[in-house]
Structure formats: C-alpha cells, structure tokens
Amino acid sequence: MRIYIIIPAFNELSELAGVLESLLSLNYRIILVDDGSTDDTPKIAATFPVLLIRHELNLGQGAALETGMEAAKLLKADFVIHFDADGQHAASDIEQLLAPLQNGNADIVFGSRFLEKKPSGLSLSRKVVLKMARWINYMISGILLTDAHNGLRALNKKALQAIHFRQPGMAHASEILYQVRRQSLRYLEVPVHIRYTDYSKQKGQGILNSVILFHLLFKR
C-alpha cells in the first residue's frame, strides 16, 4: 500500500526537524510542501528523505495541501495523511487514523481532540471559538464534527480523488466538510492528541475568521 504523509510548511524552522524525525520511524513516504518560507525551512527539509515541493510565494495551508494531494495522485497513493508541521500532532495517532480506511469502514477520517478526554492546555476562549466554528461548519455542510478545526486527517484513494481545495488558506477546513457531504463520502472521527505550545498556539490563530469566510463565500 502506498501511504503518503502530506505536510504543509511555512516558516517552521524551530519544529520541523523534530516533526520529520518522529514520522520517519513509521516508514511512510512524506511529501513536504514548503509554502514560500522565508526562513531555512526548505534547507532543513532537504536534509531528510522527503519529496520536497516549493511554492515560490506563500499561498496558504489549503493551497499547500492541494499541491501535496496532486503530487500524491501522480504517485498513485492509496492513502494520504494531512499532518501539521508545527509540532502539535503526534505520529503515534496515524495508525488509528488509517485503521478505518484500511478496514473499508470510511473514506475519510478526521482526528478529534475532544472524543476521549478534555484536552489540557486549551484556553477557554479557544474552546468557545472551536464550539462556534463547529456549528457554523454544520450550517455549511450538514456535518457536525466534535472538533471543528483539526488538521490531522486521513483520506483513502476515493476521497483523494474527490477532494479539491479551492480555498487557499485555513478556510479549507470548512470546505472539506462541504465536499465530503457533496461527494457522499463516508467519514468517521477518531481521538487524537494535540500538543499545545506557545509556538503552536500562535500558528493556530484565526480559526473562526476562516470558518466565517468560507460560510460567506459559500452563500454566494
């Protein structure tokens, strides 16, 4: 089975080496899309056995994921995993994400930080934002996930062919739900762990704005 981990990266110098080291032990192929970084992110990536694709300009996470997925299609991927470069995701969660796909029980699996226990390190304001985003996403897509904006997800070949991100930034997290419903893809959620640091919290701002943006664009 051809399994590819797609990592969008923009100025991730401080965390990228640790993220890649944690993933290499899984023996999956890695596609890293450098989204116009202005630091040494691409130099660090080039020292690892990954397929490195570069955007000359910063286009946004959605655009970087779309580039990675197009590459995975050309490489005839059976499954792909979306994995953030900021150190908040755990490589140990990937097997759990893949299991429903490998068993034929889902086409796309979303990671959720809220399924098993209350996540530590999550501020009250962040919880409120995620709850609001969850319901706005439901109005858009008809899909009510427990975690509105978790970038850790896995897709089988059917979902990979069906999903196309047109929203270049963070609004892709809402767009994907709309496409899942429109394409009648089978979906599940599984519990995953999120590591909160000052760095990852800074990188994760703007969730509600991105959800509202997609909602406004969708209504047009």
Side-chain angles (χ1 to χ4, degrees), residues 124-134 148 207-209:
L124 177 59
S125 61
R126 185 81 162 179
K127 290 178 183 177
V128 170
V129 165
L130 286 169
K131 187 172 183 178
M132 292 175 64
R134 179 173 173 246
I207 289 175
L208 190 58
N209 286 340

Side-chain angles (χ1 to χ4, degrees), residues 2-74:
R2 295 184 178 91
I3 300 173
Y4 284 86
I5 301 172
I6 300 173
I7 306 175
F10 174 65
N11 290 347
E12 302 287 5
L13 179 61
S14 65
E15 297 291 335
L16 184 59
V19 169
L20 293 176
E21 286 171 0
S22 73
L23 293 171
L24 288 177
S25 63
L26 301 178
N27 293 319
Y28 298 140
R29 300 170 176 92
I30 298 173
I31 300 172
L32 189 139
V33 182
D34 174 59
D35 191 29
S37 293
T38 56
D39 64 6
D40 285 338
T41 290
K43 291 182 180 180
I44 295 297
T47 65
F48 287 86
V50 305
L51 171 59
L52 175 61
I53 304 173
R54 293 204 63 192
H55 288 171
E56 290 301 319
L57 300 174
N58 177 234
L59 300 178
Q61 191 178 70
L65 286 170
E66 180 66 17
T67 295
M69 290 193 296
E70 289 301 315
K73 291 175 192 176
L74 292 174

Side-chain angles (χ1 to χ4, degrees), residues 99-158:
L101 304 183
Q102 293 169 325
N103 295 335
N105 295 325
D107 300 310
I108 183 167
V109 179
F110 296 96
S112 172
R113 75 198 86 184
F114 298 114
L115 280 178
E116 279 194 341
K117 60 182 181 180
K118 294 180 180 179
S120 59
L122 192 60
S123 67
L124 177 59
S125 61
R126 185 81 162 179
K127 290 178 183 177
V128 170
V129 165
L130 286 169
K131 187 172 183 178
M132 292 175 64
R134 179 173 173 246
W135 285 99
I136 295 172
N137 279 342
Y138 176 65
M139 289 189 290
I140 297 168
S141 65
I143 295 176
L144 185 62
L145 297 181
T146 61
D147 197 339
H149 213 278
N150 194 319
L152 185 55
R153 56 181 85 97
L155 295 76
N156 68 6
K157 186 175 291 187
K158 180 181 179 179

